[in-house]
Amino acid sequence: ENTKPIHVPRELLPQLVQLVGSPNPKDQYQGTLMIRKLLSADQSPPIDDVIATGVCPIFVNNFLLRDDFPKLQ
């Protein structure tokens, strides 16, 4: 079984942010999951780049309050 984390290219960040902002919960989850994987990079995770996109308030203010899709919490 391959347990190595998948590499998410930084160049995908704008598309991932669009997924997070989607009205579709499955797209929101996919974007969130991929951003989490991007931030879990062993070397130089793009923390400042993610913050600069403005996506963090969406995670905190929107997803933590939802009870219809627990995977987003």
Side-chain angles (χ1 to χ4, degrees):
E1 178 178 332
N2 183 4
T3 58
K4 183 178 178 183
I6 126 175
H7 172 73
V8 178
R10 292 176 186 228
E11 297 78 26
L12 290 180
L13 185 56
Q15 291 91 336
L16 300 177
V17 171
Q18 286 181 340
L19 286 173
V20 169
S22 166
N24 182 326
K26 290 181 182 180
D27 288 345
Q28 293 170 350
Y29 175 70
Q30 191 64 34
T32 301
L33 182 65
M34 299 304 279
I35 289 173
R36 287 181 59 199
K37 289 179 188 262
L38 185 63
L39 290 172
S40 68
D42 289 338
Q43 297 179 4
S44 303
I47 297 168
D48 291 333
D49 294 340
V50 170
I51 291 170
T53 67
V55 77
C56 295
I58 295 173
F59 294 146
V60 175
N61 297 326
N62 296 356
F63 295 167
L64 288 179
L65 299 176
R66 294 187 61 171
D67 58 3
D68 61 327
F69 199 57
K71 288 183 176 185
L72 282 174
Q73 294 179 335

